[in-house]
Amino acid sequence: VQKTFRSIVENPRHIFKLTIQGILVGIFSGLMVCLYRFLLNGSEDILRHYLTIINGNIFYIVLFFVFLIILGLLTAYLMRWERDAMGSGIPHVNAETKGFLDVNWYKTLFAKIVGGVFTALGGLSLGPEGPSVQIGAMAGKGVSKLFNESKTDELRLILVGSAVGITAAFNAPLAGVIFILEEINHGFDKTLVFIALVSAIVSDFISKMIFGQSTALTFPISNIPLSSYWLLIVLGLILGFLGYAYNVGMIKAEDLWAKIPNLSLEVKFVSVFLVSGVIALLMPEISCGGHYMLGLFDVAVPSLTLLLIYFVGKYVFSIFSFSSGAPGGIFLPILVLGAYIGAIFASIFIPICGLDNVLIYRFIIISMAGFFTATIRSPITGIVLLSEMSGSTESLVAMLVVCLIAYIVPTLLGNEPIYESLLERLLNKRQHEYTPEPSKHVLSEYVVPLECKYIGVEIENIPFPKNSIVVSVIRNGSYVIAREDFKINYGDQIHILTDVNDFPYANREIEQIIYDKKQ
């Protein structure tokens, strides 16, 4: 136990080796995500250019729908070939880091990139960021396989690659690192944070070399008067309820797809692509991930009527597209919906309160962070992400107010974060498919929260799984070999050693014990 512990935690050479691997993950994952981003941008440009030349020509329209049928069939074939490329990909990464999946990294990498190109050409309302997380994670796993790393470090490099996915997709390195801590890892591993930051900086440099250094949002900045801060409370409540409705709608839509008898993957995807084609002809603004809808704000904010039409259309189309299981994410659609909620809210309340019209852009940015929080339930990631996307930290306090309220509302309503719901559904589908691996050790880290009921209790009296061993605790920056009579305290970082085959179930038990989750 002590040998394993020292090799993974204490050995400076090991940390140096992980840092080199982190740089390699930053290069490989960054290039893969940038390639994906470049291909999706090109695919969306091709689709929108074709829509402009159709111009009522029956032959071109028929040709368009024939093309969509082919895309649907190709996507179905690709997803049958590698089913772990379906959907967003973030639940798959989450499941892998918890030990429930062992995905084929190069097949998933290829299928995710090609499948994303197909859905972009078809105009489905799917974002690139969720898939970018999985692409980065699989590239990180590829680097770990190259070095034949331990299972512990393989999981670390998968998480590092996930951070690269957010970084390269948004040019937001800090948000990428926070995302893996807040949404996937649910803990603070200093080694992981250090390597992830190194990797994120490398990938951010690559991304900016290819796509430029400008921020994703270039809206004018103006401060909301303190006397009007009560509007933020109202906005937070609205975002909380709409986020709840979005999450419930997404799960209900998945259930509806599942209830259709004898529905093959080919028929499902062809149907989705054909519906997407109709929407592209009737309302092209809401097609694809949402960059075009955000771009409308660069010219002028649409009228309130158009804002409402675009919002409702995007809301329904996003749920329809994602619930089908087509390869693509909801990250960008969620941000776009948040932007339009903010624009609608500001269009109503700015004239009523006599505020400056330029404040509409401030409400748009704040609302994007708030709706992200209401659906994904990662407020810190949302705040940092929008600060990096807008290149400004002047909205931090306003975003904090809105995000906290938007977080509380769906939580009080008993709604789970969307990615946690999707993870549970994925695990339910795969619960009988777990394949034992050759025996290896996994060293996991858990941070003791303030509400842990075992604070002050000896390790021997804490009902940890019998197939796991508490090997060390970090307290006040010092490593301590944990003995049976050692009492845990708030803020302790506990290292627990588990066999890789026991890890999925032991990890869940340990989280229930330490974080007092539902049992």
Side-chain angles (χ1 to χ4, degrees):
V1 170
Q2 291 187 10
K3 180 180 178 182
T4 302
F5 169 66
R6 290 194 183 103
S7 68
I8 294 175
V9 178
E10 293 184 327
N11 191 345
R13 292 183 180 180
H14 184 73
I15 303 299
F16 177 75
K17 183 179 72 170
L18 281 177
T19 304
I20 299 300
Q21 291 174 2
I23 293 172
L24 294 177
V25 171
I27 295 171
F28 185 33
S29 297
L31 288 173
M32 289 297 99
V33 174
C34 287
L35 172 64
Y36 182 65
R37 184 176 167 185
F38 174 79
L39 291 175
L40 290 195
N41 290 343
S43 300
E44 185 171 343
D45 289 342
I46 290 171
L47 173 63
R48 294 200 177 278
H49 177 70
Y50 189 78
L51 291 174
T52 60
I53 66 174
I54 286 180
N55 199 25
N57 187 304
I58 298 299
F59 174 75
Y60 284 164
I61 292 175
V62 171
L63 194 64
F64 178 52
F65 281 100
V66 170
F67 178 64
L68 290 175
I69 292 172
I70 295 172
L71 282 179
L73 293 173
L74 288 173
T75 304
Y77 173 78
L78 195 62
M79 295 304 103
R80 285 195 184 280
W81 179 69
E82 182 48 65
R83 62 176 178 165
D84 287 317
M86 293 182 69
S88 162
I90 291 178
H92 292 78
V93 174
N94 222 327
E96 176 137 17
T97 57
K98 294 181 184 298
F100 287 100
L101 291 182
D102 186 13
V103 177
N104 186 313
W105 71 270
Y106 53 87
K107 284 180 66 178
T108 303
L109 198 63
F110 175 81
K112 201 72 176 187
I113 292 174
V114 176
V117 170
F118 289 163
T119 57
L121 286 170
L124 274 66
S125 181
L126 297 169
E129 290 75 21
S132 295
V133 169
Q134 190 178 23
I135 289 169
M138 292 302 97
K141 186 174 183 177
V143 171
S144 74
K145 294 296 185 185
L146 178 65
F147 286 88
N148 193 26
E149 279 299 345
S150 67
K151 192 65 178 180
T152 301
D153 288 336
E154 178 182 301
L155 296 179
R156 275 177 173 158
L157 293 181
I158 288 173
L159 288 167
V160 168
S162 302
V164 170
I166 297 294
T167 298
F170 287 111
N171 285 358
L174 190 55
V177 175
I178 291 174
F179 178 77
I180 64 170
L181 298 177
E182 191 175 27
E183 182 59 32
I184 301 178
N185 193 51
H186 300 294
F188 189 87
D189 180 341
K190 289 193 294 185
T191 303
L192 171 63
V193 171
F194 175 74
I195 301 166
L197 284 170
V198 170
S199 190
I201 291 170
V202 172
S203 62
D204 185 56
F205 181 80
I206 293 172
S207 175
K208 286 176 178 175
M209 285 285 291
I210 297 173
F211 297 104
Q213 299 187 55
S214 60
T215 55
L217 302 175
T218 55
F219 299 151
I221 301 297
S222 183
N223 289 320
I224 299 172
L226 292 176
S227 59
S228 300
Y229 259 48
W230 63 271
L231 289 172
L232 300 176
I233 299 174
V234 179
L235 178 59
L237 291 170
I238 292 171
L239 290 167
F241 283 111
L242 289 177
Y244 169 83
Y246 184 84
N247 286 1
V248 171
M250 187 68 73
I251 299 304
K252 295 292 185 184
E254 280 199 355
D255 291 338
L256 287 175
W257 280 112
K259 289 179 181 178
I260 301 176
N262 303 319
L263 180 65
S264 68
L265 209 57
E266 288 78 9
V267 173
K268 178 196 279 190
F269 284 159
V270 167
S271 302
V272 171
F273 274 82
L274 289 176
V275 171
S276 179
V278 173
I279 290 174
L281 292 176
L282 299 178
M283 195 183 295
E285 293 85 358
I286 68 171
S287 289
C288 302
H291 289 295
Y292 185 85
M293 286 182 69
L294 286 178
L296 294 176
F297 292 132
D298 292 332
V299 180
V301 177
S303 66
L304 180 59
T305 302
L306 280 178
L307 287 171
L308 287 167
I309 292 172
Y310 291 158
F311 170 74
V312 174
K314 189 67 174 177
Y315 184 93
V316 175
F317 188 35
S318 172
I319 290 177
F320 173 77
S321 297
F322 185 79
S323 63
S324 69
I330 53 174
F331 227 93
L332 181 59
I334 283 173
L335 292 177
V336 171
L337 289 171
Y340 273 71
I341 294 169
I344 293 167
F345 179 86
S347 296
I348 294 172
F349 281 94
I350 282 178
I352 293 175
C353 299
L355 299 175
D356 191 341
N357 283 331
V358 77
L359 282 174
I360 192 168
Y361 293 104
R362 177 56 61 90
F363 280 109
I364 287 172
I365 292 173
I366 294 170
S367 185
M368 290 171 78
F371 195 65
F372 179 91
T373 299
T375 52
I376 297 177
R377 233 61 57 78
S378 298
I380 301 175
T381 301
I383 291 169
V384 173
L385 176 63
L386 267 298
S387 296
E388 290 188 289
M389 287 179 67
S390 63
S392 170
T393 58
E394 293 183 19
S395 300
L396 280 178
V397 175
M399 282 195 285
L400 276 169
V401 173
V402 171
C403 287
L404 289 175
I405 297 172
Y407 182 97
I408 291 170
V409 171
T411 302
L412 291 177
L413 293 173
N415 177 246
E416 286 191 345
I418 186 62
Y419 286 131
E420 287 192 17
S421 298
L422 294 173
L423 173 62
E424 287 300 321
R425 297 169 80 84
L426 174 65
L427 295 181
N428 288 336
K429 292 177 183 177
R430 305 289 184 88
Q431 59 183 343
H432 302 300
E433 303 176 18
Y434 180 72
T435 304
E437 297 184 44
S439 184
K440 295 180 181 178
H441 288 144
V442 179
L443 188 69
S444 303
E445 182 178 290
Y446 307 87
V447 180
V448 179
L450 188 60
E451 66 273 14
C452 179
K453 62 183 179 181
Y454 291 104
I455 289 177
V457 177
E458 297 86 354
I459 286 176
E460 63 180 346
N461 294 323
I462 301 175
F464 287 123
K466 293 181 179 179
N467 49 8
S468 60
I469 304 172
V470 179
V471 295
S472 73
V473 176
I474 300 178
R475 178 177 292 174
N476 300 325
S478 300
Y479 288 100
V480 180
I481 298 297
R483 304 188 185 280
E484 291 185 346
D485 59 350
F486 185 87
K487 296 180 181 180
I488 69 169
N489 284 337
Y490 162 64
D492 283 349
Q493 296 166 245
I494 303 176
H495 295 105
I496 299 181
L497 197 67
T498 312
D499 186 87
V500 66
N501 293 305
D502 299 322
F503 175 63
Y505 311 101
N507 176 66
R508 179 167 286 189
E509 285 186 47
I510 294 167
E511 286 186 342
Q512 288 175 348
I513 291 166
I514 294 179
Y515 305 124
D516 197 25
K517 293 191 174 185
K518 294 179 182 178
Q519 302 192 33

